[in-house]
Amino acid sequence: GQQLNQSPQSMFIQEGEDVSMNCTSSSIFNTWLWYKQDPGEGPVLLIALYKAGELTSNGRLTAQFGITRKDSFLNISASIPSDVGIYFCAGPPFGNNDMRFGAGTRLTVKP
Amino acid sequence: DAGVTQSPTHLIKTRGQQVTLRCSPISGHKSVSWYQQVLGQGPQFIFQYYEKEERGRGNFPDRFSARQFPNYSSELNVNALLLGDSALYLCASSLGPSGTREETQYFGPGTRLLVL
């Protein structure tokens, strides 16, 4: 019930293409977070969303907090090789003190 | 400013042994959370501490324990290690606990534990 369903599982795109990935849950979240993880390293925070409907950008990255509070998406525009990595959505379900993570979207960018 | 630091970076243990992992949060952060990340999966929540008190616990056996010190650093202990405990153990710090506006977590590089 409080699991995060992240899709797609993996993506193979050409450099310069736009990317879209999303995260859904059957539970309400008060916060949605998007992280990127490179091999052998800890996740790095990309974007934090705190309000339903909020649309936030960080350079070529844009993320939105769904108005139902049960979903979020992350877009990457004009992808470059350094965008390669695993992207995770995360957040604490409403009324919980723990952070839940999606299974991740593995992005490969071909030059 | 220094980010979250963890030690050691790598560790090899044998089944049945005990291990202690350490984490120093970002300066000014009072909450520390621990996660286990198995290869190919997202991090799984183990514990959250805030102001030296446990604020949350994930679905892990009692072999896993943690504590937070007055300087807000933290230790994760795992007793009676099993092969399945092999994973990347991540520490994250935040200004405040989950459920507050200060809950955004910043991760350290992790400790990679291999149990043989």
Side-chain angles (χ1 to χ4, degrees), chain A residues 3 30-31 33 35 37 39-45 48 50-51 54 88 92 96-104 106, chain B residues 35 37 40-45 48 55-58 88 90 97-101 103-110 112:
Chain A
Q3 299 302 315
N30 283 337
T31 301
L33 305 169
Y35 289 89
Q37 187 174 27
E41 299 182 12
V44 173
L45 182 66
Y50 300 106
K51 187 177 175 182
E54 181 180 355
F88 291 100
N96 277 266
N97 288 336
D98 59 332
M99 189 74 68
R100 305 295 172 91
F101 279 76
R106 183 180 295 273
Chain B
Y35 296 83
Q37 186 176 27
Q41 297 181 18
Q44 296 293 313
F45 173 74
Q48 184 180 79
R55 288 291 297 253
R57 172 186 286 253
L88 180 68
L90 294 163
S98 294
T100 69
R101 194 67 181 210
E103 65 189 351
T104 302
Q105 296 185 1
Y106 299 86
F107 284 81
R112 188 162 295 282

Side-chain angles (χ1 to χ4, degrees), chain A residues 30 47-56 63-67 72-73, chain B residues 101:
Chain A
N30 283 337
I47 293 180
L49 303 161
Y50 300 106
K51 187 177 175 182
E54 181 180 355
L55 183 71
T56 298
Q64 185 160 28
F65 193 141
I67 57 174
S72 177
F73 72 75
Chain B
R101 194 67 181 210

Side-chain angles (χ1 to χ4, degrees), chain A residues 46-100:
Chain A
L46 300 174
I47 293 180
L49 303 161
Y50 300 106
K51 187 177 175 182
E54 181 180 355
L55 183 71
T56 298
S57 293
N58 178 8
R60 294 177 297 105
L61 277 61
T62 301
Q64 185 160 28
F65 193 141
I67 57 174
T68 65
R69 296 169 63 191
K70 294 182 178 181
D71 63 326
S72 177
F73 72 75
L74 174 70
N75 288 339
I76 305 173
S77 63
S79 58
I80 59 178
S82 63
D83 291 334
V84 166
I86 303 177
Y87 292 79
F88 291 100
C89 60
F94 179 75
N96 277 266
N97 288 336
D98 59 332
M99 189 74 68
R100 305 295 172 91

Side-chain angles (χ1 to χ4, degrees), chain B residues 37-95:
Chain B
Q37 186 176 27
V38 174
L39 196 63
Q41 297 181 18
Q44 296 293 313
F45 173 74
I46 310 176
F47 288 110
Q48 184 180 79
Y49 277 77
Y50 175 68
E51 290 282 14
K52 303 182 287 297
E53 292 190 0
E54 182 181 301
R55 288 291 297 253
R57 172 186 286 253
N59 189 25
F60 280 81
D62 292 342
R63 298 185 296 108
F64 289 76
S65 64
R67 55 179 176 169
Q68 187 177 32
F69 299 99
N71 66 354
Y72 302 109
S73 67
S74 177
E75 286 183 352
L76 174 70
N77 294 285
V78 187
N79 294 322
L81 285 167
L82 303 174
L83 297 180
D85 294 331
S86 296
L88 180 68
Y89 287 85
L90 294 163
C91 171
S93 78
S94 56
L95 286 168

